[in-house]
């Protein structure tokens, strides 16, 4: 009688093993294909689901189900819902193997960080930068926190909340910022592979930073530190002080050999306008420099500028900046600049706008002449650099912004007004751009005239 009972139990376990194997196989196949949601018309398929579910409930493998009340991966939806349902299936298989050691464990794939259906940060394509869909880019204690949270959330059917929690730190930052952080963390991870496993992540990072300081500037070191802190749980007070000292030491070294940044003057911009030839490309290149100078446009802002963002009222030009570097919430800013009607730069703008109106396609001001696509920020920077070089000035696109800020200061515009016009978020950021001048230190126009005359 005991042998008969034992054989019956083994037959039942064998049947459960077959069911688990079938579920796992179907889940694997459905992960690789674009499975659509099963509708109410699929009565036969739903019947198969119910039969599988009933067998699992009767055997005690499944104690409680959540909505939708289907465990089989045959009934699955794409995206986040598919991920959550696949995790539920994997959890069922893993639990069955744990509670029944007699089952061949080779059929099971226990839940782990590497087996979750998530795209890790370092494996992403950053052409358009797809934001991470999980917490898998976390390291150290942060990763351990999510590991424990996942186990509880899976039991409670709350994985969608964990997914949202994992994405929050990424969505709180600009795409460009996360792209830079991802690159820095991947560089650090690759460098650390040859280090002894006994070293902690904090020790690895501090050694990496010193090594990086031999070939990188202080800004790159600061970015590497911020990227590490985002992925980990920060640094200890002593390590934080060491990291700060490494960055400050690098800044001091840079200050000893750093050349004074170039400032593009109004005369240089006027010279470029005078050099314009009667063709679309020449006009576009000159307008890139002119609008960037008077509108204090960053390369990315110039790239995103549309004709619907450019408005003229008398001798004033208004440019709408849809999203500035320090406008992460995309509320938009407006910049006003002097633009005399009938001036050479005004004629340049209107002539180029007339050309653009005859070209079908995008509404962007600066486009590729050949195919009409929007110019990228790097293309804008390259055009500005080449156009300035043709005028005899070795400078970058950002030199236009620096030159205009100093021109406003020398024209008597007060500090706060310059800050608003240039769209700087902090006083310290603007002060780095401004040079010493008599007007900035309180001298009036009359006093300057007496000084020159004396």
């Amino acid at each position: 009688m005991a042998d008969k009972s034992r054989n019956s139990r083994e037959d039942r376990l064998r049947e459960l093993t077959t069911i688990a194997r079938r579920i796992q196989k179907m889940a694997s196949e459905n992960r690789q294909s674009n499975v659509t949601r099963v509708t109410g018309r699929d009565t036969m398929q739903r019947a198969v689901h119910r039969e599988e579910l009933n067998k699992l409930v009767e055997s005690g493998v499944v104690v409680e189900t959540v909505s939708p009340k289907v465990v089989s991966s045959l009934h699955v939806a794409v995206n986040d819902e598919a991920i959550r349902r696949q995790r539920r299936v994997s959890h069922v298989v893993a639990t069955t193997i744990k509670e029944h050691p007699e089952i061949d464990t080779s059929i099971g794939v226990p839940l782990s960080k590497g087996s979750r259906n998530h795209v890790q940060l370092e494996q992403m394509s950053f052409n358009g930068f797809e934001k991470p869909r999980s917490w898998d880019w976390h390291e150290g204690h942060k990763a351990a926190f999510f590991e424990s949270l996942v186990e509880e959330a899976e039991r409670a059917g709350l994985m969608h909340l964990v997914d949202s929690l994992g994405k929050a730190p990424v969505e709180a930052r600009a795409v460009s910022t996360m792209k830079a952080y991802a690159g820095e963390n991947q560089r650090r991870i690759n460098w650390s592979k040859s280090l002894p496993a006994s070293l902690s992540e904090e020790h690895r990072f501090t050694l990496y930073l010193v090594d990086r300081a031999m070939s990188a500037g202080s800004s790159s070191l600061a970015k590497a530190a911020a990227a590490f802190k985002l992925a980990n749980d920060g640094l200890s007070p002593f390590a934080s002080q060491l990291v700060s000292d490494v960055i400050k030491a690098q800044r001091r070294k840079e200050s000893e050999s750093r050349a004074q940044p170039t400032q593009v003057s109004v005369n240089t911009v006027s010279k470029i306008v005078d050099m314009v030839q009667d063709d679309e490309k020449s006009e576009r290149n000159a307008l890139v420099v002119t609008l960037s100078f008077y509108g204090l446009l960053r390369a990315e802002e110039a790239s995103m500028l549309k004709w619907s963002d450019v408005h003229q009222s008398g001798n004033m030009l208004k440019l709408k900046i849809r999203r500035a570097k320090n406008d992460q919430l995309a509320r938009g800013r407006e910049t006003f600049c002097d633009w005399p009607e009938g001036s050479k730069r005004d004629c340049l703008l209107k002539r180029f706008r007339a050309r653009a109106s005859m070209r079908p396609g995008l509404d962007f001001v600066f486009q590729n002449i050949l195919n009409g696509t929007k110019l990228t920020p790097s293309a804008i920077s390259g055009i500005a650099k080449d156009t300035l070089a043709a005028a005899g000035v070795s400078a970058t696109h950002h030199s236009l912004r620096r030159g205009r800020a100093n021109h406003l200061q020398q024209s008597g515009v007060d500090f706060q007004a310059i800050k608003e016009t240039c769209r700087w978020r902090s006083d310290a950021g603007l002060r780095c751009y401004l040079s010493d001048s008599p007007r900035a230190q309180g001298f009036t126009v009359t006093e300057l005239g007496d000084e020159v005359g004396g």
Side-chain angles (χ1 to χ4, degrees), residues 180-354:
Y181 284 179
E184 288 294 338
N185 279 334
Q186 189 59 54
R187 184 194 295 266
R188 169 178 54 82
I189 291 171
N190 292 338
W191 183 89
S192 303
K193 287 179 180 178
S194 60
L195 297 180
S198 58
L199 286 175
S200 67
E201 288 300 326
E202 186 175 76
H203 289 159
R204 290 167 179 264
F205 173 67
T206 50
L207 292 174
Y208 162 75
L209 199 68
V210 176
D211 181 79
R212 186 80 192 280
M214 297 178 182
S215 58
S218 58
S219 59
S220 296
L221 301 182
K223 185 165 56 178
F228 177 82
K229 292 176 182 177
L230 180 64
N232 290 269
D233 57 339
L235 294 165
S236 64
F238 181 63
S240 181
Q241 183 62 53
L242 286 176
V243 168
S244 177
D245 289 341
V246 170
I247 297 174
K248 289 179 180 178
Q250 190 70 1
R251 284 178 182 157
R252 289 183 65 86
K253 292 178 183 177
E254 293 170 352
S255 65
E256 295 172 359
S257 58
R258 180 184 296 152
Q260 288 298 317
T262 306
Q263 299 178 19
V264 177
S265 66
V266 176
N267 293 336
T268 299
V269 177
S270 299
K271 181 180 179 181
I272 289 173
V273 174
D274 292 337
M275 292 168 55
V276 172
Q277 301 175 7
D278 187 20
D279 69 82
E280 187 175 5
K281 184 175 181 180
S282 178
E283 292 176 357
R284 181 203 64 185
N285 294 354
L287 194 61
V288 165
V289 172
T290 308
L291 273 182
S292 295
F293 178 82
Y294 285 98
L296 294 119
L297 301 179
R298 301 175 176 92
E300 184 177 5
E301 295 168 354
S303 172
M304 296 299 297
L305 192 67
K306 295 185 176 182
W307 285 115
S308 55
D309 301 329
V310 181
H311 303 278
Q312 186 172 4
S313 177
N315 294 329
M316 182 183 69
L317 192 69
K318 180 178 74 172
L319 303 178
K320 181 179 179 180
I321 312 301
R322 293 179 177 268
R323 182 161 189 168
K325 177 182 177 181
N326 52 11
D327 180 24
Q328 304 292 350
L329 299 180
R331 295 171 177 167
R333 295 290 304 275
E334 291 181 344
T335 292
F336 304 89
C337 51
D338 54 308
W339 201 265
E341 276 193 297
S343 63
K344 290 183 178 180
R345 63 176 181 268
D346 182 48
C347 293
L348 171 64
L349 175 62
K350 290 177 177 176
R351 188 166 63 247
F352 185 72
R353 190 166 195 167

Side-chain angles (χ1 to χ4, degrees), residues 418-439:
I418 297 174
K419 179 182 173 183
E420 291 296 324
T421 303
C422 301
R423 304 178 307 284
W424 265 288
R425 185 165 54 183
S426 67
D427 293 351
L430 174 55
R431 288 195 181 96
C432 293
Y433 279 70
L434 298 179
S435 303
D436 293 332
S437 71
R439 286 187 184 277

Side-chain angles (χ1 to χ4, degrees), residues 36-47 75:
T36 56
R37 185 186 297 274
V38 178
T39 64
R41 294 187 299 271
D42 301 319
T43 55
M44 183 178 297
Q45 194 171 23
R46 285 206 304 267
H75 186 187

Side-chain angles (χ1 to χ4, degrees), residues 146-165:
F146 274 101
E147 287 291 332
S148 61
L149 184 60
V150 165
E151 295 180 3
E152 299 299 328
E154 283 178 333
R155 296 190 186 98
L158 300 175
M159 284 306 303
H160 61 290
L161 300 181
V162 179
D163 289 336
S164 297
L165 184 63

Side-chain angles (χ1 to χ4, degrees), residues 354-384:
R355 286 185 188 270
S357 65
M358 296 184 290
R359 176 196 289 270
L362 302 175
D363 185 38
F364 292 99
V365 175
F366 301 120
Q367 301 180 20
N368 186 300
I369 301 299
L370 298 178
N371 55 28
T373 58
K374 176 180 70 69
L375 291 181
T376 63
S378 60
I380 293 288
S381 298
I383 289 173

